[in-house]
Amino acid sequence: MWAPGGAGAAADLRPDIPHPARMYDYYLGGKDNFPADRAAAEKALAANPEFRSTARANRGFLTRAVRCVADLGTDQFLDIGTGIPTAGNTHEIAQAADPDARVVYVDNDPIVLSHARALMAGAGHGRTTVIQADLRQPEPLLDTVRAADLLDFSRPVGLVLAAVLHFLRDEDEPYRAVATLLDALPSGSHLVLSHGTADFIPAAVRDRVTGVYDKATAPLVGRSRAEVHAFFDGLDLLDPGVVTVPLWRPDTPPTAGAERVSMYGAVARKL
C-alpha cells in the first residue's frame, strides 16, 4: 500500500511562484501545474525548445535504468527528488519486475508531498512510501528513512537521483550528499543518476534559461560531463558509462542529435 511519511503537510502551495517539479510536469504533458509554472516553462522553452524532448528522454532513461537494476535482483529503491508523480514512476517500473519491491520516494518540498498524497492515494501502488526530507541534508534524510524502517540497509538498494542534482548549487555540496548516501548502502547497491548539462548549449541560451529558474523556487546548475562523471568516483560504471540519456541502453535506435541532448545519465554498482 502507499503510505505518506515524513514531517509536515503542504500548507502553502504558492501557485504564484514557478516550481521546477511542476514545470517538469508541464514539459512531460502533465496537468499538475499552475499558470505561473506554465508561463515560466514556456519562457524556458522559448530559450531552448529542446527542454520538452530532454525531459521525455530523461523519463525514458529512468525507465530503462530502474528496470536494469531491478533485473539485476534489486528489490528496494530510494528515489530522492522524485517530483510530482506521473506515468512511468520508479515504483511502477520496479514493481513490474517484482510486485513486492519496496520504493521510498523523498522530496523536500511540501508541494510534491501534497500532490503525491492526492495522486497516489488508493490501491495499486504496492509497497511505496513518500517522505519529506532534504537532499542537501543527507544525514537527517537517512535517519528519517532508518527510523521508519522503510528499507533494509543490510541488502542492496537502488539509489535514484534522476534530474535532481542540477538543482543544487556547488555550495550545497552535491558531491558530499551523494557520497554520504552511498556510504550508507551496502556493496551491490546501484546508483541511477541523471543530470542536466550546458555542454551543448550556447552561453546566451544558457543564461536565459538559468534566468528563468532563478525566479523559481530552485536554481538550475548545468554541469559538464566530467563533473557528472565525478559523482560516480569509486563505483563500477555499467556500460555504456556516462552518456546523454537517449544513448543509455536505448530500446530503439536513437534519433538524430541524441548525442547532444542536454542531460547525462549513468548507472553504477557499489563495489
Side-chain angles (χ1 to χ4, degrees), residues 161-183:
L161 296 168
V164 62
L165 289 163
H166 49 238
F167 296 124
L168 272 62
R169 296 183 175 92
D170 290 343
E171 53 264 38
D172 294 323
E173 300 184 285
Y175 294 100
R176 187 191 75 83
V178 174
T180 299
L181 294 167
L182 288 169
D183 284 346

Side-chain angles (χ1 to χ4, degrees), residues 213-229:
Y213 278 86
D214 284 343
K215 297 176 182 177
T217 59
L220 184 63
V221 183
R223 294 185 170 94
S224 68
R225 183 180 183 278
E227 290 172 319
V228 175
H229 198 284

Side-chain angles (χ1 to χ4, degrees), residues 3 69 82 120 136 168 170:
V69 174
T82 177
M120 297 179 65
R136 293 168 295 186
L168 272 62
D170 290 343

Side-chain angles (χ1 to χ4, degrees), residues 6-265:
D12 185 0
L13 299 184
R14 294 306 305 271
D16 56 317
I17 300 177
H19 188 278
R22 297 193 306 251
M23 291 170 66
Y24 188 73
D25 177 73
Y26 179 74
Y27 298 144
L28 290 171
K31 297 179 180 179
D32 295 292
N33 46 72
F34 296 113
D37 307 307
R38 295 191 285 274
E42 286 295 340
K43 288 181 180 178
L45 288 167
N48 182 4
E50 296 180 359
F51 255 48
R52 179 168 280 123
S53 59
T54 298
R56 291 172 177 169
N58 179 68
R59 204 70 185 176
F61 162 77
L62 175 68
T63 297
R64 299 190 303 276
V66 171
R67 185 173 63 211
C68 168
V69 174
D71 287 346
L72 290 171
T74 297
D75 63 358
Q76 49 181 359
F77 291 81
L78 178 59
D79 184 335
I80 302 175
T82 177
I84 294 171
T86 184
N89 297 289
T90 296
H91 75 281
E92 294 170 318
I93 304 160
Q95 290 165 4
D98 181 353
D100 291 326
R102 297 184 186 182
V103 178
V104 175
Y105 290 119
V106 179
D107 206 284
N108 73 327
D109 201 300
I111 293 171
V112 170
L113 187 63
S114 178
H115 278 288
R117 284 175 169 165
L119 296 175
M120 297 179 65
H125 297 290
R127 303 173 71 182
T128 306
T129 305
V130 180
I131 67 171
Q132 189 175 347
D134 197 325
L135 176 58
R136 293 168 295 186
Q137 300 174 348
E139 292 90 352
L141 186 157
L142 288 165
D143 289 344
T144 300
V145 177
R146 290 193 185 100
D149 195 26
L150 300 172
L151 299 174
D152 181 355
F153 282 89
S154 70
R155 298 190 299 107
V157 174
L159 173 61
V160 180
L161 296 168
V164 62
L165 289 163
H166 49 238
F167 296 124
L168 272 62
R169 296 183 175 92
D170 290 343
E171 53 264 38
D172 294 323
E173 300 184 285
Y175 294 100
R176 187 191 75 83
V178 174
T180 299
L181 294 167
L182 288 169
D183 284 346
L185 305 182
S187 297
S189 295
H190 287 82
L191 172 62
V192 174
L193 185 151
S194 62
H195 195 299
T197 183
D199 281 357
F200 315 113
I201 300 175
V205 173
R206 179 198 62 209
D207 291 345
R208 289 199 298 273
V209 169
T210 55
V212 172
Y213 278 86
D214 284 343
K215 297 176 182 177
T217 59
L220 184 63
V221 183
R223 294 185 170 94
S224 68
R225 183 180 183 278
E227 290 172 319
V228 175
H229 198 284
F231 285 110
F232 297 94
D233 285 353
L235 304 178
D236 181 23
L237 274 167
L238 276 59
D239 290 336
V242 179
V243 294
T244 58
V245 286
L247 298 183
W248 199 89
R249 302 191 180 188
D251 293 326
T252 57
T255 59
E259 73 284 357
R260 296 182 63 82
V261 169
S262 298
M263 185 86 70
Y264 289 117

